Amino acid sequence: MGIVIAKNLNLYYGNVQALKNVSIDIEKNSVTALIGPSGCGKSTFLRTINRMNDLIDSVKIDGEVLYENKNIYSSDYDVIDLRKKIGMVFQKPNPFPMSIYDNVAYGPKIHGLTNKKELDEIVEDSLKGAALWNEVKDRLKKSALGLSGGQQQRLCIARTLAVQPEVLLMDEPTSALDPISTLKVEELMDVLKKKYTVIIVTHNMQQAGRISDYTAFFLNGEIVENGKTENIFYKPQDKRTEDYITGRFG
């Protein structure tokens, strides 16, 4: 059984249906890539997993999203706790305008941690987890805005790791980065899945093929096909999947 399971999930923006009967199991300690053309529902689905769509007034959702076997859309579910356990990294790096240290310590402080020694350990462990420690350990008190784009994105990953999540949602995390920074983030994902479950939206087919264990192909709000990446890429069961992956789609 997966760590995140969607069952017959439908989502509407007003009268527009963005997700149609989506069902999928996300395996623990794996990287799952969500692929498909722009506007197909993959980022919308990603945001349902930590209820980010709740912030949009016109949204209506039915169906279930189970996390650790509990429906996160039940009325008594603690959304704050959910977003601690399921962290999110966005398309563009968004460090806070404060020091590198304070960026990483921000989440634990919000959750009530004040012990300096514990905060120091969390900051170091999180930066190491994001493969950034060696690059910034001598300038932790410097502004995070002085980092390169790739470093800022890894800092945002470290900031997410600091609250000890179990699942990492990544919405095109390398689309704004140069090739070298992209490679570093891709290498990092391979390390992160040993400890976390990673779900990534990407338009880059080569990236999906390199980093993911599982792939789901979205089209017009539906999952056309999902399974092990090697099967989706090399033995697709649906011609639309094959056409999209090979660039013949549309």
Side-chain angles (χ1 to χ4, degrees):
M1 181 179 286
I3 187 171
V4 176
I5 302 171
K7 291 183 176 181
N8 307 120
L9 181 68
N10 296 285
L11 182 143
Y12 303 82
Y13 293 120
N15 295 322
V16 177
Q17 187 170 4
L19 294 177
K20 303 170 186 174
N21 204 35
V22 169
S23 296
I24 186 173
D25 284 24
I26 305 294
E27 294 294 329
K28 191 172 184 178
N29 297 116
S30 65
V31 177
T32 298
L34 310 181
I35 63 171
S38 296
C40 67
K42 54 191 184 297
S43 290
T44 295
F45 173 67
L46 194 75
R47 291 194 297 270
T48 65
I49 299 172
N50 69 345
R51 291 186 53 171
M52 289 288 286
N53 289 312
D54 288 15
L55 305 174
I56 303 171
D57 290 337
S58 63
V59 163
K60 178 191 168 191
I61 294 172
D62 61 60
E64 292 183 322
V65 177
L66 304 180
Y67 170 61
E68 295 182 323
N69 230 13
K70 295 178 183 175
N71 182 16
I72 67 172
Y73 284 94
S74 61
S75 58
D76 60 346
Y77 203 97
D78 187 336
V79 179
I80 293 173
D81 187 55
L82 175 72
R83 291 182 186 149
K84 182 182 176 188
K85 291 180 178 177
I86 302 181
M88 189 150 191
V89 177
F90 296 92
Q91 185 171 358
K92 292 183 179 178
N94 59 341
F96 301 143
M98 54 181 68
S99 72
I100 294 167
Y101 181 99
D102 287 338
N103 262 270
V104 183
Y106 184 85
K109 285 181 178 178
I110 287 289
H111 289 287
L113 184 62
T114 57
N115 184 286
K116 176 72 164 57
K117 185 172 182 292
E118 289 182 43
L119 284 170
D120 288 349
E121 289 174 358
I122 288 172
V123 168
E124 181 173 344
D125 289 345
S126 300
L127 288 168
K128 283 179 176 176
L132 190 58
W133 173 252
N134 288 336
E135 295 171 45
V136 301
K137 62 184 178 183
D138 297 323
R139 48 175 173 152
L140 294 177
K141 296 301 180 184
K142 297 284 181 68
S143 172
L145 302 180
L147 297 173
S148 70
Q151 288 174 324
Q152 287 185 8
Q153 191 64 301
R154 282 182 286 146
L155 177 66
C156 293
I157 293 171
R159 189 174 67 198
T160 303
L161 299 182
V163 294
Q164 299 179 318
E166 294 184 347
V167 178
L168 293 175
L169 309 178
M170 296 186 168
D171 194 355
E172 296 193 61
T174 64
S175 65
L177 304 183
D178 62 78
I180 293 173
S181 297
T182 294
L183 181 61
K184 286 185 177 180
V185 173
E186 288 183 3
E187 290 171 345
L188 176 58
M189 284 184 218
D190 196 48
V191 175
L192 289 174
K193 73 178 181 183
K194 295 177 175 66
K195 196 172 179 182
Y196 309 95
T197 301
V198 180
I199 308 170
I200 177 174
V201 167
T202 180
H203 276 106
N204 186 324
M205 292 303 95
Q206 290 77 18
Q207 181 175 78
R210 283 192 300 265
I211 67 170
S212 68
D213 304 291
Y214 301 92
T215 296
F217 172 49
F218 280 73
L219 184 64
N220 298 327
E222 300 177 272
I223 293 182
V224 171
E225 192 170 350
N226 76 91
K228 290 187 175 180
T229 295
E230 59 197 53
N231 293 335
I232 298 296
F233 273 70
Y234 300 110
K235 303 173 189 173
Q237 300 300 302
D238 192 293
K239 189 173 187 306
R240 292 170 295 175
T241 309
E242 181 181 356
D243 287 348
Y244 184 75
I245 288 170
T246 57
R248 296 195 299 266
F249 186 84

